[in-house]
């Protein structure tokens, strides 16, 4: 399957600072990437869909001014958590879609990066 | 509304077989995915079904019945490393992925 990298894997920061997380598709081009957040023992929550060359589409309840997304190239999307607060501490995961084929037909499958664990003190 | 239902937790024995069910009610259907997620890690893709029937991939198989809004993931010859959460996700008519809450599978020796 496709490989997606994410950096950094772990970050600890002080309240009020901004944190940038990078998501890269390593062996394919991704016009669409997705950003998720996952709190402990909870399911994935889609935050936004990142589209190369255009504005991201944010899910309801996600503040676009707080979670800045830039998808500047076909292999890189960044998420910046601005003025982070302790309640923003979470596991942030990106994914990128790549076409896959199989006996059940072809589709775009989301492949996930390894995630970034953010702790805001 | 749209929802995906999976059991919260299941327990099985090493070497045995376990079936994890997923039922869905979504606006349209454009495929169903199963992902595995180990604690503290990101999900990894397991399988994709869009046509009715069984897809087999080694020890893992996934089944789909569109008329019943039902899928299952079958894991054979269970190994301790199979202890993880298994996520069911359905792509709706808008090509949005709707995620289930996941089933935590505990494997006992």
């Amino acid at each position: 399957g496709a490989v997606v990298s994410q950096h950094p894997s772990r970050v600890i920061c002080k309240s009020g600072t901004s944190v940038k997380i990078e998501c890269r598709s390593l062996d394919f081009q991704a016009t669409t990437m997705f950003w998720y957040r996952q709190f402990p023992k909870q399911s994935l929550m889609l935050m936004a869909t990142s589209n190369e060359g255009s504005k991201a589409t944010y899910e309801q309840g996600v503040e676009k001014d707080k979670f800045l997304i830039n998808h500047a190239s076909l292999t890189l999307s960044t998420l910046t958590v601005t003025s982070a607060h302790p309640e923003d501490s979470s596991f942030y995961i990106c994914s990128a879609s790549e076409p896959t084929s199989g006996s059940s037909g072809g589709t775009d499958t989301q492949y996930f990066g390894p995630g970034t664990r953010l702790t805001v003190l | 509304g749209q929802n995906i239902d999976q059991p919260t937790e299941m327990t099985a024995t090493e070497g045995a077989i376990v079936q994890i069910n997923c039922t869905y009610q979504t606006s349209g259907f454009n495929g169903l995915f199963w992902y595995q997620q180990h604690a503290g890690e990101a999900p990894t893709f397991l399988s994709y079904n869009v046509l009715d029937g069984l897809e087999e991939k080694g020890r893992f198989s996934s089944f789909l019945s569109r008329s019943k809004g039902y899928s299952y993931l079958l894991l054979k010859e269970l190994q301790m490393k199979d202890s993880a959460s298994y996520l069911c996700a359905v792509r709706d008519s808008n090509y949005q992925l709707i995620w289930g809450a996941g089933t935590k599978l505990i494997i006992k020796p």
Side-chain angles (χ1 to χ4, degrees), chain B residues 92-106:
Chain B
D92 69 9
S93 56
N94 293 320
Y95 276 76
Q96 299 271 30
L97 261 190
I98 312 301
W99 290 89
T103 298
K104 183 178 180 181
L105 177 63
I106 300 168

Side-chain angles (χ1 to χ4, degrees), chain A residues 15 26 64 72 88 108:
Chain A
S15 185
L26 295 186
K64 58 184 178 183
D88 298 323
D108 286 341

Side-chain angles (χ1 to χ4, degrees), chain A residues 45-47 58-63:
Chain A
M45 189 194 82
L46 179 66
M47 299 175 67
Y58 290 81
E59 295 300 302
Q60 196 170 12
V62 178
E63 300 173 58

Side-chain angles (χ1 to χ4, degrees), chain A residues 36 38 42-44 46 49 59 91 93 97 100 102-115 117, chain B residues 30 33 35 37 39-45 48-51 54-55 87 91 95-97 99-102 104:
Chain A
Y36 292 84
Q38 187 174 37
Q42 293 189 24
S43 187
L44 293 171
L46 179 66
T49 302
E59 295 300 302
F91 190 42
I93 317 171
S97 285
T100 54
S103 58
S104 195
T107 190
D108 286 341
T109 298
Q110 286 190 31
Y111 292 91
F112 287 84
R117 191 160 302 282
Chain B
N30 280 296
F33 299 81
Y35 284 82
Q37 186 177 24
E41 298 181 12
T44 54
F45 170 70
Y48 165 69
N49 295 70
V50 69
L51 302 175
L54 190 68
E55 289 279 335
L87 309 175
R91 179 170 282 147
Y95 276 76
Q96 299 271 30
L97 261 190
W99 290 89
K104 183 178 180 181

